[in-house]
Amino acid sequence: MTALSINLNKVALIRNSRQGNYPNIIQMAQHCIDLGADGITVHPRPDQRHIRPADVRQLASLVSPIAHVEFNIEGNPFAEPLADYPGLLALVEETNPDQCTLVPDSNNQLTSDHGFNLRDQGSELVPIIKHIQSLGVRVSLFMDPDLEQIKLASEVGADRIELYTGPYAAAWDTDSHEEIFQQHVAAAKLANSLGMGVNAGHDLNLHNLGKYASIDNLLEVSIGHAFTVDSLIVGMASAMRDYRALLV
């Protein structure tokens, strides 16, 4: 069964729109776990638009003792630390998550929208990947379904890749959808043949997840935006049930 990791960034975005701590991120994470989430994902950014470093630390304390739930921290390892943001690697060193997903997003991006170009950044990532792995943390690289890039992900030492599914979701119900889906199938197959696990994430929802989850050996999907929206419509318990049903 493919693991379902819930990304809490949008919950934090709602909280940050007001003073105080409502909704409480830790309570929401616990609620997700109680309802059957296999993991909790956060993507702290330097501008702290949603998840903050303090959230990362508190979530690590919540999730780490729970053997069947994984904690995944995403982010750009090259983003410069700021006064209230210590940097991704510092947070990983401090909180020791199960997985660190490295993402090539810039500070001014609305959201992650492309995978790594390892022809340009691969050599810079090698020591970072090795350092994170030395902490006992699994490393996943956010990647497009480009076969040459998937080969390079193996060469730089990634344990897993997370396939960027934004274009797959955007092409849903269009003539190009099947072609894009097959690119992901091929990328996942190649990654597996090279000894890497495969995760996926971005804009997956109740409409497009079922087909995507048919990809062989898909280990994890990370879903935040759509899960949050569906929770508003049908309630979190129903949304969790519906997403998990697609991943059996």
Side-chain angles (χ1 to χ4, degrees):
M1 178 175 172
T2 303
L4 174 61
S5 187
I6 299 299
N7 187 316
L8 294 174
N9 280 18
K10 288 300 165 64
V11 177
L13 186 68
I14 295 171
R15 177 201 60 190
N16 294 353
S17 67
R18 293 289 187 271
Q19 296 294 321
N21 188 31
Y22 186 74
N24 183 297
I25 299 299
I26 309 308
Q27 290 178 358
M28 295 298 285
Q30 183 65 67
H31 195 34
C32 289
I33 293 167
D34 291 343
L35 291 171
D38 302 297
I40 297 296
T41 290
V42 291
H43 188 146
R45 286 182 166 87
D47 63 10
Q48 300 186 64
R49 70 184 80 160
H50 32 59
I51 288 292
R52 299 165 177 163
D55 299 323
V56 177
R57 299 180 183 108
Q58 292 176 46
L59 287 166
S61 296
L62 171 70
V63 178
S64 294
I66 307 175
H68 65 282
V69 179
E70 289 199 345
F71 188 39
N72 173 43
I73 302 177
E74 301 181 341
N76 185 349
F78 302 118
E80 292 293 331
L82 299 175
D84 296 321
Y85 175 77
L88 177 69
L89 296 182
L91 284 171
V92 170
E93 290 168 353
E94 184 178 351
T95 60
N96 200 241
D98 298 282
Q99 178 173 269
C100 177
T101 301
L102 303 181
V103 182
D105 59 342
S106 63
N107 291 352
N108 60 358
Q109 279 181 234
L110 179 63
T111 186
S112 307
D113 60 12
H114 63 280
F116 276 105
N117 181 343
L118 296 177
R119 288 185 295 272
D120 294 339
Q121 293 184 294
S123 60
E124 295 177 88
L125 282 171
V126 169
I128 295 172
I129 292 170
K130 288 182 177 179
H131 175 62
I132 295 172
Q133 290 170 334
S134 75
L135 303 173
V137 178
R138 182 173 67 239
V139 177
S140 179
L141 296 183
F142 196 66
M143 302 295 296
D144 298 310
D146 179 315
L147 299 187
E148 179 185 355
Q149 292 289 335
I150 302 304
K151 292 176 184 177
L152 292 174
S154 176
E155 292 176 12
V156 300
D159 299 299
R160 293 188 186 183
I161 59 168
E162 178 178 328
L163 288 170
Y164 168 51
T165 51
Y168 163 85
W172 190 255
D173 286 335
T174 71
D175 292 340
S176 62
H177 176 259
E178 185 61 27
E179 178 183 357
I180 293 174
F181 175 67
Q182 291 303 325
Q183 291 172 359
H184 283 255
V185 172
K189 184 177 181 179
L190 176 60
N192 285 160
S193 74
L194 295 171
M196 294 183 294
V198 177
N199 300 338
H202 212 282
D203 292 336
L204 293 173
N205 58 39
L206 291 174
H207 301 290
N208 59 44
L209 177 60
K211 180 170 184 174
Y212 200 89
S214 70
I215 294 176
D216 289 341
N217 301 315
L218 180 64
L219 297 177
E220 174 190 290
V221 292
S222 175
I223 301 178
H225 182 86
F227 178 79
T228 304
V229 173
D230 289 326
S231 295
L232 291 173
I233 297 170
V234 301
M236 186 177 285
S238 294
M240 187 72 72
R241 180 200 63 216
D242 293 346
Y243 276 96
R244 287 184 60 83
L246 294 171
L247 298 173
V248 174

